[in-house]
Amino acid sequence: MAWFVDLNPIIQALIAGLFTWGVTILGSSLVFFVNEVNDKLLAVMNGFAAGVMIAASFWSLLAPSIDYAQALGYGRGSFIPAAVGFLLGGVVLRLVDRLIPHMHVASNQPEGPDSHWSKTLLLFIAITIHNIPEGLSIGVAFGAAAIASAEGATLAGAVALALGIGLQNFPEGSALSLPIRAGGEDKWRAFHIGQLSAIVEPVAAVLGAWLVLQVTSVLPYALSFAAGAMFFVCIEELIPDSQKSQHSELGTMAFMLGFVVMMTLDVALG
């Protein structure tokens, strides 16, 4: 791994984003082996993904945001960048949800402005929108690790974040491709649509790393912004979807498992 440590942080972020996209590709490939996603599996996948994202948001993003604000001399106000960025992340995702038509996997009701777009396109847009903060958080984490004074933000922690997001991208990829297949699309088209939803992650990762390297003072805000956006996705979509069926208890336990897995990765590696 020495070769990876010596790379430019933007390249590191790109590689990490390509990794998470690759895991999405693997998840989408389940469409060749399984015909549809049942309620039990959907509850487990959404719960696990939410647990990973919530844990990643705290240990890899919010906590380093506060630590870095303290290093910048915010003192007792070190919570301010974390609070402002966190709320702004949620507000931006809310605006995006209101302005762009989309449909969640576990819902049959389109959201956002009225449109005549197909259900397949609406599902694709929903997952793609929510993959952007995941990629952004990866880039910000690697950018933060490259800044020597970024206390609490380490390269190992950034790698753990990428691994955690990759873990939850596997069920996310299948959660998109399988319903599209069940809706009548052929397997190859369903696969391609599912995996393409995560192509934004390496792009957003590069953008996030570049931003914090250009303007280091925005780092605590960027970290907490990514956390707020990820929290919004979890609370607005993943957690409710894990509780909609009669298998809500499985969704809850999967959430707890995902949280522990991500916590373990971050603490052990970071």
Side-chain angles (χ1 to χ4, degrees):
M1 290 296 292
W3 63 271
F4 185 79
V5 174
D6 295 333
L7 291 176
N8 182 287
I10 294 178
I11 302 301
Q12 292 174 337
L14 174 61
I15 293 173
L18 290 173
F19 163 73
T20 59
W21 179 24
V23 179
T24 304
I25 293 174
L26 291 176
S28 297
S29 69
L30 285 183
V31 75
F32 296 112
F33 309 101
V34 181
N35 290 324
E36 62 181 15
V37 56
N38 57 45
D39 289 342
K40 181 184 294 186
L41 181 59
L42 190 62
V44 170
M45 291 191 299
N46 282 314
F48 182 84
V52 168
M53 291 178 67
I54 292 291
S57 296
F58 177 75
W59 270 282
S60 297
L61 299 170
L62 275 179
S65 170
I66 296 172
D67 290 340
Y68 189 56
Q70 290 173 342
L72 289 176
Y74 277 77
R76 292 181 180 273
S78 296
F79 68 90
I80 294 175
V84 172
F86 184 82
L87 293 174
L88 185 60
V91 168
V92 169
L93 260 291
R94 173 57 179 156
L95 288 175
V96 170
D97 271 1
R98 291 196 63 180
L99 295 175
I100 300 179
H102 61 284
M103 181 187 296
H104 297 159
V105 173
S107 172
N108 289 318
Q109 296 298 322
E111 297 184 14
D114 292 335
S115 74
H116 299 290
W117 296 348
S118 68
K119 180 178 179 180
T120 296
L121 179 58
L122 293 173
L123 288 171
F124 174 80
I125 291 173
I127 298 295
T128 302
I129 288 173
H130 294 161
N131 276 332
I132 293 175
E134 294 176 14
L136 181 63
S137 67
I138 291 172
V140 170
F142 278 97
I147 300 172
S149 57
E151 299 180 6
T154 65
L155 180 60
V159 171
L161 175 63
L163 288 174
I165 290 178
L167 281 175
Q168 67 91 31
N169 272 10
F170 185 87
E172 190 173 76
S174 59
L176 176 58
S177 60
L178 289 175
I180 290 175
R181 168 61 178 161
E185 299 286 355
D186 66 68
K187 292 183 178 181
W188 275 105
R189 180 170 172 78
F191 165 73
H192 285 305
I193 293 174
Q195 61 89 15
L196 280 175
S197 67
I199 198 172
V200 296
E201 292 195 2
V203 177
V206 168
L207 178 61
W210 177 84
L211 176 63
V212 299
L213 290 173
Q214 296 301 310
V215 189
T216 57
S217 59
V218 307
L219 179 55
Y221 295 93
L223 286 164
S224 56
F225 176 91
M230 287 173 65
F231 258 80
F232 182 90
V233 171
C234 291
I235 297 170
E236 197 261 348
E237 178 183 354
L238 296 179
I239 294 176
D241 287 352
S242 73
Q243 301 294 308
K244 282 183 177 179
S245 71
Q246 60 181 343
H247 307 289
S248 59
E249 295 86 357
L250 284 175
T252 301
M253 293 306 299
F255 173 93
M256 297 180 71
L257 176 62
F259 188 96
V260 169
V261 167
M262 185 61 218
M263 177 183 67
T264 302
L265 281 174
D266 196 275
V267 175
L269 296 180

